[in-house]
Amino acid sequence: MSQSDFLPPERPGTAPYWDATRSRRLLLQRCRACGQLIHHPREACPHCLAQDFVWEESTGRGSVHAVSVHHRPFEVMTPQDCPYVVAFVDLDDGVRFLSDIVGPDRETAAVGDRVRLVWKPVAGGCHLPLFELDR
Ligand SMILES: [Zn+2]
């Protein structure tokens, strides 16, 4: 299965998140009880366990907190998928986001680099949020 065959999981509380990706919008949950911004989407706030959220659109911009570059394909990947770059991105909105860095210079990604959101189409009309370097 390649990423383009990826079907977003149907988990409680995640439908608004995946629906927004159809129009390439990245939504984050904000807890109405404690005010914390949350990612990944979930049923209950990890800070106070409240289940009352509003959805806010992310700027899609941030910086690399940590990065790992893989030169050998694993499991479902092909050699063309490499180098495969996984990163924790600190969104300017205030949450940490685990994703891939894509683009021709992705293997040069380093901690502190600025990144911007890009989208990869997947099954069901949804999109996966990925990042590219913004130098
Ligand atoms: Zn909360």
Side-chain angles (χ1 to χ4, degrees), residues 13-78:
T14 65
Y17 174 86
W18 287 110
D19 285 346
T21 72
R22 294 175 196 278
S23 55
R24 296 179 172 87
R25 293 183 309 127
L26 179 62
L27 296 186
L28 304 172
Q29 288 176 308
R30 184 176 298 280
C31 177
R32 286 185 201 258
C34 72
Q36 292 288 314
L37 200 60
I38 299 162
H39 181 76
H40 58 87
R42 61 195 90 190
E43 279 186 287
C45 174
H47 306 283
C48 74
L49 300 180
Q51 295 180 301
D52 187 15
F53 302 103
V54 291
W55 292 90
E56 297 182 4
E57 187 166 352
S58 171
T59 63
R61 297 197 176 265
S63 58
V64 174
H65 172 79
V67 62
S68 179
V69 180
H70 302 265
H71 293 279
R72 292 187 59 181
F74 57 91
E75 296 181 1
V76 299
M77 299 172 66
T78 67

